[in-house]
Amino acid sequence: MLDNNFSKILVGIDGSDSSFNAANYATDLSVKFNSEIILLSIVPSKIHHGDSSGVFGMVSQSYLSDYKKDAEKWFKEIINHLNNEGTFEIDKKIKTDIITTPFSIAASILNYAEERDVDLIIICTRGNSGLKKMLLGSVASDIVVYSYCPVL
């Protein structure tokens, strides 16, 4: 029997089918635990080189703007899908947020989760970032290693 009460569940959304599936898992758990769901999308403001040599360059403002528009579409698609399923009152259970960070995506997710007292992080293992070929390492792996709360 589960002892934990997941009152806040954070889901990383990057536009991939895997991240949409993660949102579905969050919905199922939210129904079971009467949890709030936070859909979070993070856009890096800097492109880091694959080693410790530092920053490779800044992301253009047009890229940031386009990413934010895409993230809003992803959130809307997820919420519309859940509304069609009739699972629960979406407006009261789901919050969305898009943040920009010069730091790693994993560190930003973990900081965001800790600041908001999240009880569970749900993240997909394969993303759809436009920069994924330039970023080395696994966001999901880092989150599992460094998270203070359970990760699915």
Side-chain angles (χ1 to χ4, degrees):
M1 175 154 187
L2 289 175
D3 214 18
N4 297 335
N5 182 13
F6 300 121
S7 62
K8 287 186 186 175
I9 301 171
L10 176 66
V11 185
I13 302 296
D14 63 6
S16 67
D17 288 341
S18 296
S19 71
F20 290 0
N21 289 336
N24 285 333
Y25 281 111
T27 303
D28 293 343
L29 289 171
S30 177
V31 168
K32 180 173 179 121
F33 293 105
N34 193 29
S35 309
E36 172 186 326
I37 297 173
I38 303 169
L39 303 177
L40 176 65
S41 191
I42 299 177
V43 57
S45 61
K46 296 179 182 178
I47 302 170
H48 291 272
H49 193 271
D51 57 23
S52 61
S53 64
V55 176
F56 182 76
M58 299 296 289
V59 174
S60 71
Q61 282 296 65
S62 63
Y63 178 83
L64 293 174
S65 177
D66 289 346
Y67 186 95
K68 288 179 180 183
K69 287 176 188 173
D70 287 343
E72 289 293 340
K73 288 178 195 173
W74 303 332
F75 295 156
K76 189 177 276 188
E77 185 177 331
I78 290 167
I79 291 169
N80 286 341
H81 171 75
L82 296 175
N83 274 332
N84 290 337
E85 295 288 314
T87 307
F88 57 89
E89 297 176 2
I90 297 301
D91 296 337
K92 295 179 183 176
K93 294 284 186 180
I94 294 184
K95 294 182 173 29
T96 63
D97 204 356
I98 303 165
I99 63 172
T100 303
T101 182
F103 306 110
S104 78
I105 300 296
S108 299
I109 289 171
L110 292 170
N111 288 337
Y112 186 97
E114 193 168 359
E115 288 171 1
R116 286 155 185 83
D117 295 320
V118 167
D119 302 302
L120 176 67
I121 298 171
I122 301 178
I123 189 159
C124 63
T125 57
R126 300 204 186 270
N128 192 23
S129 169
L131 301 174
K132 78 178 178 181
K133 291 182 181 175
M134 299 182 96
L135 301 172
L136 298 178
S138 170
V139 172
S141 177
D142 286 348
I143 289 172
V144 169
V145 170
Y146 298 111
S147 181
Y148 71 94
C149 68
V151 178
L152 174 63

